[in-house]
Amino acid sequence: MNPLYLLDKVRVVLSHPSHPGNIGATARAMKTMGLSSLYLVNPRTFPDKDAEARAAGAWDILNDAKVCANLDEALSGTVLAAAITARPRDLSHEVFDARRGAHELLDHACQHPVALVFGTEMSGLTTMEVSKCQIVVHIPANSEYSSLNLASAVQIMAYELRMALPELRSLSPVANIAADFNDMELLYRHLERVAISSGFLDPREPKRFMQRMRRLFARARLEKEEVNLLRGMLSALEKGIQSPQQTQNLE
Amino acid sequence: MNPLYLLDKVRVVLSHPSHPGNIGATARAMKTMGLSSLYLVNPRTFPDKDAEARAAGAWDILNDAKVCANLDEALSGTVLAAAITARPRDLSHEVFDARRGAHELLDHACQHPVALVFGTEMSGLTTMEVSKCQIVVHIPANSEYSSLNLASAVQIMAYELRMALPELRSLSPVANIAADFNDMELLYRHLERVAISSGFLDPREPKRFMQRMRRLFARARLEKEEVNLLRGMLSALEKGIQSPQQTQNLE
């Protein structure tokens, strides 16, 4: 297998990009390194002349860009999504630097799509957006001025992905089938429902319980079969607590 | 010596830049990675509003930029200059890729200034300009579309220089307290008990359920607090299903 093929499996997801010029520059940055799959979540303006101008010939990527209504749609079917940040985060996921993150992504790309997720220009990714990703990838930067341009951040990640290719010689695809984004979202919903019906989680004051669960399971990179096992147990529990809790819950 | 000091010794030389926006974007790219010394050989327009806009706060670098009449002036005093190219060249220079080139430059920067030399946007460096440099640094790119934006090329080299600073290479681990062996064993026992009392796990035919759970949670490397959360939920579930299961459990 030609290792360049792996780059086709890498989605670049821009969440709420506000400057169309950055979308064009992103397409160009991607194409120089051999990436091709661009997803735009709620772009302020697209298509746009500025985007075309800055794409400098990478128009195929702009034309094929998928415009999505929300991040879930853009991540549908992926087995690993990396939230890209230039600042360290509180309650962070497993954190990789750009180089190690690129390797981690390619390791998973042999099986199914993976994604790089970039936040909006002014404020980056929201906590909710980060929580939909399984890892955080940190681009090392000047702590006194970490204001990386959006397309420049894409350029660095695309470059690291390309640099990570030749070292794939020893790449042994994981034998088990990874759970994808959709499997995981269903698991989280199920877990939350059971936590609430058990009385453990108060939906009026959820604190950060689900965030913590997402962080934990994101680290584990679940397999499809593991998700099925967990959900099987959750269903049995749900059934078990249905009768005695019903009256209490309805109070 | 603070290794960041080495970055002050690296000059970024733009030869005949034609778009002032690229000069501003270059200043920004440099500053994000801790570089500060910008040399402009015969810029078409400078200073310029577009340059200021694209610099996005890296104005100190623009203000301190040295405008030179020719490349010799910009390279004066340097001990090593690298011609940056995205295309292989038929020349007798020693060729490094971006990563090895960054190391080579920093090795020399302990002594005296070194330089990264970038050509004009449309046609890159002339043969004469390359001949004034001691090494050629090649940024790996898509052979069918190697049209790297000037500031993006600067961004990649600046990033590689920062990554080449030995002390800055690794990330500091998050300081959360890891669950220890005993915490984990208690969690597994608790999980097993709840799985049995829910009716999901048949203790006479457990298959490999607990083995699979161990494998899953081992991968996640749990923190103490996460174990507490999971056990809190398990306790609530246990209580919820107690009544209907009680008789069975007490045999």
Side-chain angles (χ1 to χ4, degrees):
Chain A
M1 190 180 77
N2 182 347
L4 283 171
Y5 165 75
L6 289 174
L7 297 180
D8 294 336
K9 298 284 215 56
V10 181
R11 296 182 191 171
V12 170
V13 180
L14 305 186
S15 179
H16 298 79
S18 42
H19 300 303
N22 280 333
I23 299 175
T26 291
R28 180 177 182 177
M30 288 168 62
K31 189 160 183 176
T32 57
M33 296 298 150
L35 298 181
S36 56
S37 175
L38 177 60
Y39 284 67
L40 304 171
V41 179
N42 243 326
R44 188 185 284 172
T45 328
F46 187 81
D48 182 276
K49 271 190 184 169
D50 269 3
E52 276 167 46
R54 294 283 297 280
W59 297 303
D60 47 344
I61 293 182
L62 285 188
N63 288 340
D64 295 344
K66 272 142 208 96
V67 177
C68 306
N70 52 52
L71 185 57
D72 288 44
E73 206 182 312
L75 295 184
S76 176
T78 60
V79 292
L80 187 68
I84 313 297
T85 111
R87 275 157 295 166
R89 292 200 171 238
D90 169 42
L91 191 75
S92 59
H93 290 54
E94 198 172 359
V95 180
F96 294 84
D97 69 17
R99 187 156 303 164
R100 291 195 313 118
H103 283 270
E104 185 74 9
L105 283 160
L106 283 193
D107 282 351
H108 286 77
C110 345
Q111 285 194 299
H112 288 293
V114 297
L116 302 168
V117 184
F118 297 85
T120 188
E121 287 92 337
M122 282 306 285
S123 48
L125 292 166
T126 64
T127 306
M128 178 51 83
E129 287 172 327
V130 174
S131 77
K132 302 256 175 181
C133 300
Q134 290 77 45
I135 62 174
V136 164
V137 168
H138 168 77
I139 300 179
N142 181 354
S143 56
E144 287 157 28
Y145 180 86
S146 59
S147 158
L148 257 180
N149 166 258
L150 174 55
S152 298
V154 173
Q155 184 74 69
I156 288 174
M157 288 310 304
Y159 162 77
E160 280 290 9
L161 283 163
R162 190 175 188 87
M163 288 296 285
L165 281 178
E167 289 162 58
L168 288 173
R169 279 169 266 130
S170 63
L171 189 99
S172 54
V174 193
N176 298 316
I177 299 163
D180 67 18
F181 179 78
N182 314 51
D183 300 325
M184 292 306 294
E185 290 300 312
L186 289 171
L187 171 63
Y188 293 136
R189 250 181 272 168
H190 201 163
L191 180 66
E192 187 171 27
R193 205 166 62 225
V194 173
I196 289 173
S197 63
S198 76
F200 178 70
L201 181 62
D202 179 353
R204 287 158 308 184
E205 211 179 330
K207 291 176 186 159
R208 303 208 291 175
F209 176 71
M210 283 312 299
Q211 247 169 291
R212 300 199 70 115
M213 288 297 110
R214 279 176 178 273
R215 175 166 166 267
L216 186 169
F217 286 111
R219 283 205 312 275
R221 309 276 150 69
L222 298 198
E223 296 161 11
K224 249 185 212 304
E225 217 182 311
E226 290 173 336
V227 170
N228 291 341
L229 265 182
L230 289 171
R231 292 199 59 192
M233 189 169 93
L234 287 172
S235 293
L237 288 164
E238 216 166 10
K239 235 168 112 186
I241 50 178
Q242 230 160 19
S243 345
Q245 289 286 317
Q246 227 158 23
T247 39
Q248 274 173 255
N249 281 347
L250 295 175
E251 279 181 299
Chain B
M1 189 180 78
N2 182 346
L4 284 170
Y5 166 75
L6 289 174
L7 298 180
D8 294 336
K9 299 283 216 53
V10 181
R11 295 181 192 173
V12 170
V13 179
L14 303 187
S15 177
H16 299 78
S18 43
H19 300 302
N22 280 333
I23 299 176
T26 291
R28 180 177 181 177
M30 290 169 60
K31 190 161 183 175
T32 57
M33 297 297 150
L35 298 181
S36 56
S37 176
L38 177 60
Y39 285 66
L40 304 171
V41 179
N42 244 326
R44 187 186 284 172
T45 329
F46 188 81
D48 181 275
K49 270 190 186 172
D50 268 1
E52 275 167 48
R54 295 281 298 278
W59 298 303
D60 47 342
I61 292 182
L62 286 187
N63 288 339
D64 295 346
K66 274 142 205 100
V67 177
C68 307
N70 52 51
L71 186 56
D72 289 44
E73 205 182 313
L75 295 184
S76 173
T78 60
V79 290
L80 186 69
I84 313 298
T85 120
R87 274 156 297 165
R89 292 199 174 241
D90 166 36
L91 285 165
S92 54
H93 282 66
E94 198 175 359
V95 180
F96 295 83
D97 69 17
R99 188 157 302 164
R100 291 196 312 120
H103 282 272
E104 185 73 12
L105 283 160
L106 282 194
D107 283 351
H108 287 78
C110 338
Q111 287 191 299
H112 289 292
V114 297
L116 301 169
V117 184
F118 297 84
T120 187
E121 287 92 337
M122 282 305 286
S123 49
L125 292 165
T126 64
T127 307
M128 176 54 82
E129 287 172 328
V130 175
S131 76
K132 304 256 177 182
C133 299
Q134 290 77 45
I135 61 174
V136 164
V137 169
H138 168 75
I139 299 179
N142 181 354
S143 55
E144 287 157 29
Y145 180 87
S146 59
S147 157
L148 256 181
N149 166 259
L150 174 55
S152 296
V154 172
Q155 184 75 67
I156 289 174
M157 289 308 305
Y159 163 76
E160 280 290 9
L161 284 163
R162 189 172 189 89
M163 287 296 284
L165 294 172
E167 278 91 331
L168 294 178
R169 241 174 276 176
S170 59
L171 283 170
S172 52
V174 192
N176 294 321
I177 298 163
D180 65 19
F181 177 79
N182 315 51
D183 300 325
M184 291 308 293
E185 290 303 310
L186 290 171
L187 170 64
Y188 293 137
R189 247 180 276 168
H190 201 163
L191 180 67
E192 187 171 26
R193 205 165 63 224
V194 173
I196 291 173
S197 63
S198 75
F200 178 71
L201 181 63
D202 178 353
R204 288 159 307 181
E205 210 180 330
K207 292 178 187 161
R208 304 203 297 163
F209 176 72
M210 283 314 297
Q211 251 167 288
R212 300 198 66 115
M213 289 296 111
R214 279 176 179 273
R215 177 165 162 267
L216 186 169
F217 286 111
R219 282 206 312 277
R221 305 251 175 77
L222 298 198
E223 295 162 10
K224 249 185 211 305
E225 219 183 309
E226 290 173 336
V227 171
N228 292 341
L229 264 183
L230 288 171
R231 294 200 58 193
M233 189 169 93
L234 288 171
S235 294
L237 288 163
E238 215 165 12
K239 233 168 112 186
I241 51 177
Q242 226 161 19
S243 344
Q245 295 284 323
Q246 221 159 24
T247 40
Q248 276 173 253
N249 281 347
L250 295 176
E251 291 177 316

